[in-house]
């Protein structure tokens, strides 16, 4: 179990670092929000600095942020399960999740045969 915990903690760190490059964390809610590219950074791409591009860029950041945030959430849930002694148990059928599956993705919530039932 310790090796999964270490993996998950490592992944959590990486995800938070990645999130920090795209947005900022709301200290009150703990949610991440995309921030528009700073003036400082956008000086390199002066020609592309019109409003439409900026809006598009913001959209992209927001959706990338959403994906990362979801992954971070899964990682946190998996860590919580380790604390509760429920780690590695399929949320659908209640059987143990295959070890090789956990090695690839320690935040997996289901066994291999149930993975398509969860979105
Ligand atoms: Zn299952």
């Amino acid at each position: 179990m310790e090796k999964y915990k270490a993996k998950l903690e490592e992944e959590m760190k990486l995800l938070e670092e990645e999130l920090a490059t795209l947005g900022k964390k709301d200290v009150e809610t703990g949610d991440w929000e995309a921030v528009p590219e700073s003036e400082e950074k956008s000086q390199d791409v002066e020609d592309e600095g019109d409003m439409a591009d900026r809006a598009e860029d913001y959209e992209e950041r927001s959706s990338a942020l959403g994906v990362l945030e979801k992954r971070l959430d899964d990682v946190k849930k998996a860590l919580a399960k380790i604390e509760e002694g429920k780690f590695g148990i399929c949320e659908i059928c209640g059987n143990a999740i295959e070890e090789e599956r956990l090695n690839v993705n320690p935040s997996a919530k289901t066994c291999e045969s149930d993975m398509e039932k969860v979105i």
Side-chain angles (χ1 to χ4, degrees):
M1 209 62 80
E2 282 303 310
K3 66 172 176 180
Y4 295 127
K5 195 176 173 184
K7 258 190 163 184
L8 286 162
E9 281 172 347
E10 179 68 25
E11 195 175 347
M12 185 163 78
K13 222 178 77 189
L14 291 174
L15 285 168
E16 282 184 335
E17 278 170 15
E18 236 174 297
L19 279 161
T21 66
L22 292 171
K24 61 174 168 47
K25 197 175 189 173
D26 187 312
V27 276
E28 273 170 38
T29 61
D31 286 333
W32 288 84
E33 257 181 60
V35 286
E37 193 114 16
S38 71
E39 294 298 326
E40 205 182 333
K41 278 186 194 165
S42 58
Q43 278 177 2
D44 299 334
V45 283
E46 275 173 23
D47 296 340
E48 293 171 298
D50 64 68
M51 292 301 279
D53 280 350
R54 276 172 189 249
E56 202 172 303
D57 184 62
Y58 182 78
E59 284 297 309
E60 272 172 32
R61 280 163 173 267
S62 283
S63 71
L65 204 74
V67 172
L68 289 171
E69 204 173 5
K70 171 93 178 45
R71 268 167 60 195
L72 183 64
D73 195 49
D74 285 347
V75 169
K76 282 183 177 168
K77 279 182 187 153
L79 282 167
K81 282 186 193 170
I82 290 179
E83 299 301 322
E84 292 163 15
K86 292 176 188 164
F87 180 77
I89 295 167
C90 172
E91 287 183 2
I92 302 289
C93 67
N95 290 329
I97 300 172
E98 295 81 0
E99 202 166 323
E100 54 197 62
R101 181 157 154 71
L102 289 173
N103 279 327
V104 177
N105 176 18
S107 55
K109 293 175 184 167
T110 64
C111 67
E112 208 145 353
S113 53
D114 290 326
M115 65 186 284
E116 279 162 19
K117 296 180 189 168
V118 184
I119 298 161

